[in-house]
Amino acid sequence: MELHSRTDAYIGRYAARAAGMVPSEIRALFAVADRPEVVSLAGGMPYVSALPLDRIGEMIGELVARNGAQVLQYASAQGDPVLREQICEVMELEGIRANPDDVVVTVGAQQALDLVTKIFVDPGDVVLAEAPSYVGALGTFAAYQAEVVHVPLDDGGLIPAALRETLERLRRDGRRVKFLYTVPTFQNPAGVTLTAPRRAQILEICAEYDVLVLEDNPYGLLGFDGEPMRALRAYDSERVIYLGSFSKTIASGLRVGWALAPHSVRAKLVLAAESAVLCHANLSQLAVREYLATQPWREQIKDFRVMYRERRDAMLDALETLMPKGCTWTRPSGGFFVWLTVPEGLDTKAMAPRAIAERVAYVPGTGFYSNGDGRRHMRLSYCYPEPHRIREGVRRLAGVVEEEIRLRDTFGGVRRDDRAPGGVDTPGPGLV
Amino acid sequence: MELGHVVVLAGGLSYEREVSLRSGRRVADALRALDIPVELRDTDATLLDALATDPPDVVFPVLHGASGEDGSIRDVLELVGVPYVGARPDACRVAWDKPTAKAVVARAGLSTPESVALPKEIFHDLGAASVLDRIVEHLGLPLMVKPTRGGSALGASVVRDAEQLPAAMVGCFAYGDTALIERYVEGTEVAVSVIERGGEPYPLPAVEIVAAGGRYDYTARYDAGDTEFVIPARLSPEAAERVTAAALTAHRALGLRDLSRTDLIVTPSGEVHFLEVNVAPGMTETSLLPRAIAAAGLELSHICRDLLIQRFT
């Protein structure tokens, strides 16, 4: 008797929204990147080892011993009230004046992103995002079957004229734009920051076209020069939904983020959060509350800034010294990432296996676009490896790019559009 | 004979690390189901010390890709004197290099698609366009392009139009320095696994692979879910006999041991062509060998145990 089977017995049963949830062969390569032989410039993991881990350990222990009956219990879906007040204090550093009633605590900013998309986006709705944009957001938008329309950015962040042009075109086409998603400060993946004059312009344009703004700001306090920039939400409290996170300023493993939204939106977010998770992990929330109340968190952020600045410098110096002619890159003034552009005819996705063979990992640019663009780009992160490892990683990467240039010259700079569409090209969050 | 300590080696630093980790966990779980004490280990700097300090009865290498399949890890296991399941290093080296394996099985009487294996240097030196023109002139179209060494179809592509050939070459050279360019034979894709029992090679039922969109690439193998497997393969009785005989011939001619999986193409007229052989076949939940074992009415755990006992001296 013939036996018929499939690689996945459930194929044909999945919802349409799961269609894109397929890892590419590139994602499988990242399995190698967590080995110590490989210098990973791919992951976006904050360097949590710099935290006073013993003090945090004691603090969490005492929290449970002293107040376990509350800490280990369900809580409200909106989040702990004291923590929400503290979150408002943190946001003041970026010029935001907010009421704790309008804050919803979430499982990292990623859940806030999911909830906002869930309550606003119907299948086929248009969401605007920078080109390139944060991969986690693109995954969320795809899961809700949004159509992502990218808007270009440059060294000054999102380009206002391009935004206007895009909105005008979409209006002519009768398309409904639900919101503009933007990481204005130390953008992931490009590392660029929206200039102050452009902030005002972007908000004016969005007001003109009646478009909501979803501001995602996990890196805002990790600037290397001067005071934090004013967040978009500081300019406009009605049109902007702000997403914040303690993942980079305290610890990503605690999974505490938040959304600050206009009152009516906030009410829906709370109900959506309740249906998703009932309530946030109380232990994590109260650990953050205690940390903010008892630990020198502002000084800790300063320490992070110094450390990441040193790593950024190591990466920029190494790129300057080692990368072959024709490569260009951004010069971030904060955050975790440099966006590298390789010479024409090269394909960062195609050359990723060779990089792994040379024991260096990066994220190909294609992961940061929803339309297959990005083949001439890659994201390099400097947040996790120490400076000498960063230099070694860039040295290896330069060799890979040189070899790719040689291959291009041999085969005539081919486009690889005919290759099979890849699925998800980016690593999971736990990658070193 | 009772196995007291078994090491399953999985992971490694090849492109197929993730697949290998999945295969390794599957084999370890199968053995643990029989209460065999199993240690699942990666190939890292601690391995040799661990093998010396606490030598296992037998090692089961489930390492895919380089070092796992090219014989090098097995060479090291020979050096430290630990018995292991699978082919010896010299046989692995021959099987791992696809053009060499093709030549060996051709001498043993199997048909294999005409091909040429060229390192990227030759394209640099002679000019890619003229070399590629000669290849198309000689082998015709369509062509299969793949790295001479490697698995899971990484870097492999079918070229139906000469204009796609440079892109396919670049894609292939991302995974290796030498490309095998082979005449592409249309037909039914079939995999026949061989396991040795009592010193005799025993062929498992042929698995027919029907990839959605016709491409059994990496995604189709491990993730997409839309690849269909039919066991036994829908072949005429004569063709079914020929694929089984071909897998046995390849296993013997290449001097393989314990287990192997031979990939073949059967043309509509029933001709059987050898494509490649695997000395460390995938053992994941979507892999071909475990499916063939189940279709034969056998248990993966028993097969793994028996293979270990065969090597436990």
Side-chain angles (χ1 to χ4, degrees), chain A residues 166-430:
Chain A
T166 306
L167 284 167
E168 192 56 41
R169 176 167 50 81
L170 289 164
R171 178 184 275 179
R172 269 201 315 271
D173 295 348
R175 301 303 304 274
R176 184 158 192 212
V177 178
K178 281 297 173 71
F179 54 76
L180 163 68
Y181 169 77
T182 174
V183 185
T185 309
F186 317 132
Q187 204 245 12
N188 178 3
V192 299
T193 294
L194 188 65
T195 62
R198 280 193 185 180
R199 289 182 185 232
Q201 289 170 38
I202 295 289
L203 288 169
E204 271 170 33
I205 294 167
C206 286
E208 193 182 324
Y209 287 84
D210 194 20
V211 169
L212 269 178
V213 176
L214 184 55
E215 176 181 28
D216 188 2
N217 189 27
Y219 309 99
L221 296 180
L222 294 176
F224 305 141
D225 316 297
E227 292 302 305
M229 298 249 341
R230 286 187 78 205
L232 289 172
R233 171 59 177 69
Y235 295 76
D236 188 333
S237 59
E238 287 307 310
R239 188 165 298 283
V240 179
I241 299 173
Y242 176 96
L243 310 184
S245 172
F246 290 113
S247 288
K248 281 81 186 177
T249 50
I250 305 179
S252 48
L254 291 169
R255 308 306 303 126
V256 180
W258 69 90
L260 169 67
H263 201 71
S264 48
V265 175
R266 188 274 290 163
K268 283 204 163 31
L269 285 178
V270 171
L271 291 173
E274 209 168 285
S275 76
V277 292
L278 276 189
C279 68
H280 193 286
N282 218 16
L283 177 59
S284 278
Q285 284 192 85
L286 297 183
V288 171
R289 184 177 99 178
E290 193 71 5
Y291 179 87
L292 292 171
T294 64
Q295 303 296 317
W297 60 272
R298 288 182 176 81
E299 285 67 32
Q300 181 60 52
I301 291 174
K302 274 185 202 157
D303 289 350
F304 276 138
R305 286 205 295 255
V306 169
M307 186 187 66
Y308 290 136
R309 181 187 182 130
E310 190 191 352
R311 292 174 185 203
R312 186 270 321 250
D313 290 346
M315 178 164 281
L316 293 182
D317 286 351
L319 289 169
E320 199 64 56
T321 318
L322 298 164
M323 286 313 275
K325 213 174 133 203
C327 293
T328 57
W329 52 89
T330 56
R331 288 168 173 76
S333 52
F336 287 0
F337 306 111
V338 167
W339 186 243
L340 180 90
T341 305
V342 294
E344 200 161 334
L346 267 58
D347 181 336
T348 60
K349 184 174 173 180
M351 69 194 228
R354 196 187 342 278
I356 290 291
E358 296 300 323
R359 307 284 181 253
V360 60
Y362 61 83
V363 185
T366 46
F368 306 97
Y369 292 81
S370 60
N371 56 7
D373 283 352
R375 286 177 179 272
R376 274 189 64 196
H377 306 281
M378 66 174 77
R379 190 191 76 177
L380 301 177
S381 66
Y382 50 79
C383 49
Y384 199 85
E386 294 183 5
H388 72 280
R389 294 280 288 167
I390 291 173
R391 274 187 284 274
E392 174 58 20
V394 171
R395 190 189 66 75
R396 294 175 191 179
L397 183 62
V400 173
V401 174
E402 271 164 18
E403 181 56 30
E404 193 71 8
I405 291 171
R406 192 160 171 254
L407 210 53
R408 174 202 64 184
D409 294 345
T410 301
F411 288 98
V414 291
R415 293 274 313 163
R416 271 164 290 270
D417 290 345
D418 54 327
R419 291 176 65 79
V424 177
D425 287 340
T426 49

Side-chain angles (χ1 to χ4, degrees), chain B residues 164-269:
Chain B
Q164 300 167 336
L165 193 50
M169 299 305 297
V170 174
C172 173
F173 286 133
Y175 286 92
D177 288 339
T178 306
L180 178 72
I181 306 140
E182 193 174 55
R183 182 172 286 161
Y184 180 72
V185 179
E186 305 274 1
T188 306
E189 197 167 345
V190 165
V192 182
S193 300
V194 171
I195 48 174
E196 287 185 17
R197 314 193 78 191
E200 281 303 308
Y202 171 87
L204 293 170
V207 184
E208 177 185 343
I209 300 142
V210 189
R215 287 174 60 114
Y216 190 46
D217 57 13
Y218 182 89
T219 307
R221 278 164 201 247
Y222 300 108
D223 293 304
D226 212 8
T227 298
E228 189 180 10
F229 303 98
V230 187
I231 314 178
R234 293 166 293 187
L235 300 171
S236 69
E238 300 75 27
E241 262 180 47
R242 279 199 290 273
V243 294
T244 300
L248 287 169
T249 302
H251 186 88
R252 290 194 180 107
L254 292 161
L256 303 183
R257 195 176 75 165
D258 293 335
L259 76 169
S260 68
R261 195 195 76 223
T262 297
D263 298 342
L264 305 147
I265 286 276
V266 185
T267 65
S269 63

